[in-house]
Amino acid sequence: MNKKQKIDQAIILAAGFGLRMRPLTLTTPKPLVKLNKKPIIYYILEELKKNEIKKCFINVHYLPLKIEKYIEEYRALNKSMDIIIIKEKVILETGGAIKNILKKNNNKPVIVINADSLIISFEQVSPLTLLMKQFNVNTMDFLLLLDDLKNSIGYYDKGDFSFSNNDAPSRIIRNMNNGLAYTGWQILNPNTVHKVNNNVFSLNYCYNKAIKDNTIWGMLNTQKWLHIGTINALNEANRWLENYK
């Protein structure tokens, strides 16, 4: 594989219960919660479409029929998109979900996006476009989009990673106290999850190995990151979008 290998597939991780958004998520799966009158997942699918990513897998578990119904409606209006629903009988966590979706013969780089995370672009070139341009399959197992929290909505922790140098992109290391936050947008090499023997595991397991191997990289997000994990974050994001639009 070479550096310029085309990236043409994506995964949206959408199997969670959305516990922190109850009571909204008692009857609506979190990816379908409305933000500015559109489901959260709509914005992600539109970003993929804009970047000519035609093949998209979506893993589902909680209230799956509602997500399937919405995807049928979206497909009908966007016939060029090949959207494949993968049902999980049990929650496989992030790494297990990706391993379950991508068979061993699928070793092409894949975009992976958390279904509660949105990047709103101020500029014509989106962060996803930049991620795709920067991903080097020869040196990277992961390229994560990170945020410095100055402009984000809905993230209240202390960060996840730090850059190991001043290059862009840069290799990254763990920093859970005063670090950069992982936005939920990344590109990865599927071989990293296929090498794990377990079927239920977090991507953090793979991240820790990649840090030791110097194969995990990060890029700083310069656009607006909306992390829609709570009702307060949803309300704040709605207010921001109303003013922005």
Side-chain angles (χ1 to χ4, degrees), residues 212-228:
K212 292 178 183 177
D213 295 340
N214 287 318
T215 58
I216 183 168
W217 295 63
M219 192 181 87
L220 188 64
N221 174 46
T222 60
Q223 310 299 310
K224 189 75 172 184
W225 173 36
L226 310 179
H227 179 236
I228 318 296

Side-chain angles (χ1 to χ4, degrees), residues 131-144:
L131 269 181
M132 293 166 64
K133 286 183 177 178
Q134 295 287 356
F135 187 79
N136 185 335
V137 74
N138 295 317
T139 58
M140 299 176 181
D141 281 331
F142 298 93
L143 177 59
L144 276 57

Side-chain angles (χ1 to χ4, degrees), residues 98-99 102-106 190-196:
I98 296 165
K99 182 180 177 182
L102 299 178
K103 305 310 176 188
K104 286 190 176 180
N105 62 351
N106 186 344
N191 288 332
T192 60
V193 295
H194 293 319
K195 290 176 182 176
V196 179

Side-chain angles (χ1 to χ4, degrees), residues 59-231:
N59 72 323
V60 297
H61 174 78
Y62 177 63
L63 300 176
L65 295 180
K66 292 193 174 184
I67 297 178
E68 281 187 277
K69 183 176 184 296
Y70 175 75
I71 294 303
E72 283 178 13
E73 295 169 357
Y74 186 88
R75 275 200 211 103
L77 298 174
N78 300 274
K79 297 186 186 301
S80 65
M81 295 283 285
D82 181 16
I83 306 174
I84 302 158
I85 299 288
I86 305 292
K87 291 183 180 179
E88 292 183 6
K89 291 183 179 178
V90 297
I91 294 286
L92 299 175
E93 297 188 41
T94 50
I98 296 165
K99 182 180 177 182
N100 180 57
I101 289 168
L102 299 178
K103 305 310 176 188
K104 286 190 176 180
N105 62 351
N106 186 344
N107 59 2
K108 298 185 299 180
V110 59
I111 299 159
V112 178
I113 302 170
N114 293 350
D116 60 358
S117 176
L118 299 179
I119 307 294
I120 307 297
S121 300
F122 301 114
E123 303 164 6
Q124 288 189 342
V125 179
S126 75
L128 180 56
T129 305
L130 295 176
L131 269 181
M132 293 166 64
K133 286 183 177 178
Q134 295 287 356
F135 187 79
N136 185 335
V137 74
N138 295 317
T139 58
M140 299 176 181
D141 281 331
F142 298 93
L143 177 59
L144 276 57
L145 186 65
L146 305 177
D147 194 272
D148 63 8
L149 312 181
K150 292 177 183 176
N151 246 347
S152 64
I153 287 176
Y155 183 86
Y156 310 112
D157 291 325
K158 296 181 179 180
D160 306 290
F161 299 98
S162 287
F163 293 125
S164 61
N165 56 54
N166 293 323
D167 295 335
S170 165
R171 288 186 173 90
I172 56 177
I173 56 175
R174 287 285 187 187
N175 184 347
M176 310 296 282
N177 293 313
N178 189 28
L180 300 166
Y182 167 51
T183 62
W185 290 61
Q186 66 180 314
I187 298 174
L188 64 81
N189 180 346
N191 288 332
T192 60
V193 295
H194 293 319
K195 290 176 182 176
V196 179
N197 290 327
N198 295 336
N199 291 322
V200 180
F201 62 96
S202 168
L203 270 183
N204 281 314
Y205 174 85
C206 300
Y207 292 163
N208 291 338
K209 184 178 187 308
I211 288 171
K212 292 178 183 177
D213 295 340
N214 287 318
T215 58
I216 183 168
W217 295 63
M219 192 181 87
L220 188 64
N221 174 46
T222 60
Q223 310 299 310
K224 189 75 172 184
W225 173 36
L226 310 179
H227 179 236
I228 318 296
T230 65
I231 290 178

